[in-house]
Amino acid sequence: MTVTRFAPSPTGYLHVGNLRTALFNFLIAKKAGGQFILRLDDTDPERSKQEYADQIQRDLEWLGLTWDRIEKQSERLDRYATAADELREKGRFYEAWETPTELDLKRKKQLNMGLPPVYDRAALNLSDDEQAKMRAERGQGVWRFKLNQERIEWTDGILGDLSIDAASVSDPVLIRQDGQVLYTIASVVDDTDMGVTHVVRGSDHVTNTATQIQIMEALGFSAPSFAHHSLLTGPQGEALSKRLGTLALKDLRDNGVEAMALLSHMARLGSSQPIELCETLDQLADGFDLNHFGSAPTKFDVDDLYPLTARFLHTRPLSSVSEQVAEIGVPDDLAETFWNVARANITTRKDIAGWWHLFRDGATPLVADEDREFVAQAFDMLPEPPYSADTWKSWTDAVKEATGRKGKGLFMPLRKAVTGLERGPEMADVMQLLQKKPAL
Ligand code: GLU
């Protein structure tokens, strides 16, 4: 069975970059009729916050990316300790005591000599006595995984055949000095224990994948299929990392972006397929294929989400907004008419209330000087509400008769005077919704 997972660290809010990872993994599982796991990578007790874990779940629920299982790494620390012991027994785990400053100095020296800044494994050469001395002086060290210095190869679901020389990678630290287990090993253990078959994540994890493949081999695990999607950039190709904080999913939601518009956009962006506005996740899953994605950075423009949101709303039935429509005070018998008018003239749900306010309270009339007298005369001929679907026709017929105006010269000044706008909904509908007689 296909099993995928989305594994955010609850150390911040999810943003569009995270969504790409979540959505790809979700769609792969959905398309295959498999399972999708939400895994909270919360081994860092200082940075992990319940508030973020809660918001991650709210965001995913809003989008409909619901999970079959939820797992927390903080509840599996014993399991990681066992795996660490196994690596120790197999001679693939060693303690090292360099401080961050010492490591930094080593790196600088290497770079000065034109060498790659790879950890020099000095700790591997310490005698038992030297190790004891270090432990006495510096306490527990970090624990590094000893990479086999060979090429690590895999066929990536997006990037194709990859080959990384392990000699160009530092032996990864898997346990910190304070005993905190790091994601690199925890993830390997989890992916295996939880039967994960496909891992899709950002291309910033390619080197991690190489080391994780070796850790899996060392533990006798078989590796899942890996795929690394490109990272998002801004519309001009500029790095997005600093702006991602302003592209939190919860903010997009607050700004009125529709879930299906966002999902439809993200499921195709960076692929060779055109963006297609889908109504359901099933529809999105049907057309989803990792093979259509490439390695080039993917440009993301938040402004693209709004036309798509508008298009989505234009086709929604009243039932999808009935609660909001009732809440803003639209009477039941006008709700259908109101929504038919409003939906074609909004960008997000946040614009709905504004239309009702216009019908309820009346607009500030837009009247050209030369039309002032005409509009005043026309308004005099209009009875008090309630109005019906026929009001516009009977009123403008009467105004035409009385003033001799016709066509645009008749209708435009009245539209502008009633709605305060140059264009907008059908005036027959507008009149039917007006709660107050318009006045100058
Ligand atoms: N917690 C990791 C991250 O957020 C997970 C990476 C992965 O998918 O393996 O980057």
Side-chain angles (χ1 to χ4, degrees), residues 116-146:
V118 176
Y119 177 59
D120 62 5
R121 297 185 153 175
L124 262 183
N125 302 321
L126 296 177
S127 66
D128 288 352
D129 283 352
E130 285 165 329
Q131 286 193 8
K133 191 165 163 264
M134 277 296 184
R135 214 167 277 129
E137 278 172 13
R138 301 191 174 190
Q140 218 215 147
V142 302
W143 285 85
R144 286 184 185 266
F145 176 70
K146 188 171 166 231

Side-chain angles (χ1 to χ4, degrees), residues 5 7-9 21 39 41 183 187 191 199-201 205 212:
R5 48 47 165 204
S9 298
T21 310
R39 190 182 84 204
D41 284 2
Y183 142 82
S187 183
D191 286 340
V199 172
V200 183
R201 53 190 180 188
H205 280 291
Q212 285 179 327

Side-chain angles (χ1 to χ4, degrees), residues 177-254:
Q177 193 148 25
D178 61 5
Q180 187 187 310
V181 176
L182 292 180
Y183 142 82
T184 317
I185 183 168
S187 183
V188 159
V189 172
D190 290 346
D191 286 340
T192 304
D193 286 0
M194 295 169 197
V196 171
T197 56
H198 294 73
V199 172
V200 183
R201 53 190 180 188
S203 51
D204 48 339
H205 280 291
V206 166
T207 308
N208 273 340
T209 298
T211 61
Q212 285 179 327
I213 285 174
Q214 277 211 3
I215 298 171
M216 287 184 191
E217 276 167 10
L219 291 169
F221 300 161
S222 53
S225 310
F226 285 103
H228 297 84
H229 58 70
S230 65
L231 300 183
L232 297 181
T233 70
Q236 257 67 53
E238 72 276 23
L240 204 58
S241 48
K242 290 217 180 64
R243 283 188 38 221
L244 282 172
T246 66
L247 294 171
L249 301 186
K250 72 178 182 59
D251 296 335
L252 295 179
R253 182 186 186 180
D254 286 348

Side-chain angles (χ1 to χ4, degrees), residues 165-377:
D165 183 3
S168 69
V169 180
S170 295
D171 288 339
V173 173
L174 302 187
I175 298 182
R176 293 204 323 195
Q177 193 148 25
D178 61 5
Q180 187 187 310
V181 176
L182 292 180
Y183 142 82
T184 317
I185 183 168
S187 183
V188 159
V189 172
D190 290 346
D191 286 340
T192 304
D193 286 0
M194 295 169 197
V196 171
T197 56
H198 294 73
V199 172
V200 183
R201 53 190 180 188
S203 51
D204 48 339
H205 280 291
V206 166
T207 308
N208 273 340
T209 298
T211 61
Q212 285 179 327
I213 285 174
Q214 277 211 3
I215 298 171
M216 287 184 191
E217 276 167 10
L219 291 169
F221 300 161
S222 53
S225 310
F226 285 103
H228 297 84
H229 58 70
S230 65
L231 300 183
L232 297 181
T233 70
Q236 257 67 53
E238 72 276 23
L240 204 58
S241 48
K242 290 217 180 64
R243 283 188 38 221
L244 282 172
T246 66
L247 294 171
L249 301 186
K250 72 178 182 59
D251 296 335
L252 295 179
R253 182 186 186 180
D254 286 348
N255 290 339
V257 169
E258 288 292 317
M260 273 320 293
L262 177 58
L263 293 167
S264 298
H265 191 67
M266 296 312 289
R268 294 286 184 276
L269 194 67
S271 82
S272 52
Q273 293 170 292
I275 288 168
E276 176 194 358
L277 185 55
C278 287
E279 305 251 322
T280 63
L281 280 160
D282 281 313
Q283 233 177 310
L284 271 185
D286 279 345
F288 185 78
D289 191 342
L290 276 187
N291 288 320
H292 294 305
F293 289 84
S295 60
T298 300
K299 286 183 182 155
F300 172 81
D301 188 345
V302 69
D303 291 340
D304 292 339
L305 297 174
Y306 293 95
L308 218 53
T309 289
R311 263 176 58 204
F312 183 75
L313 288 172
H314 292 177
T315 59
R316 287 309 88 199
L318 173 63
S319 56
S320 65
V321 291
S322 44
E323 223 170 273
Q324 192 189 347
V325 166
E327 223 164 74
I328 57 178
V330 181
D332 283 350
D333 59 329
L334 287 182
E336 195 76 49
T337 312
F338 170 71
W339 177 236
N340 281 337
V341 168
R343 69 178 180 177
N345 291 283
I346 55 174
T347 302
T348 75
R349 282 171 199 254
K350 292 167 63 166
D351 304 331
I352 298 176
W355 280 102
W356 179 244
H357 295 160
L358 187 146
F359 299 132
R360 187 191 62 194
D361 307 331
T364 308
L366 192 63
V367 185
D369 283 345
E370 66 270 24
D371 290 329
R372 191 153 282 277
E373 215 173 293
F374 162 72
V375 170
Q377 189 185 349

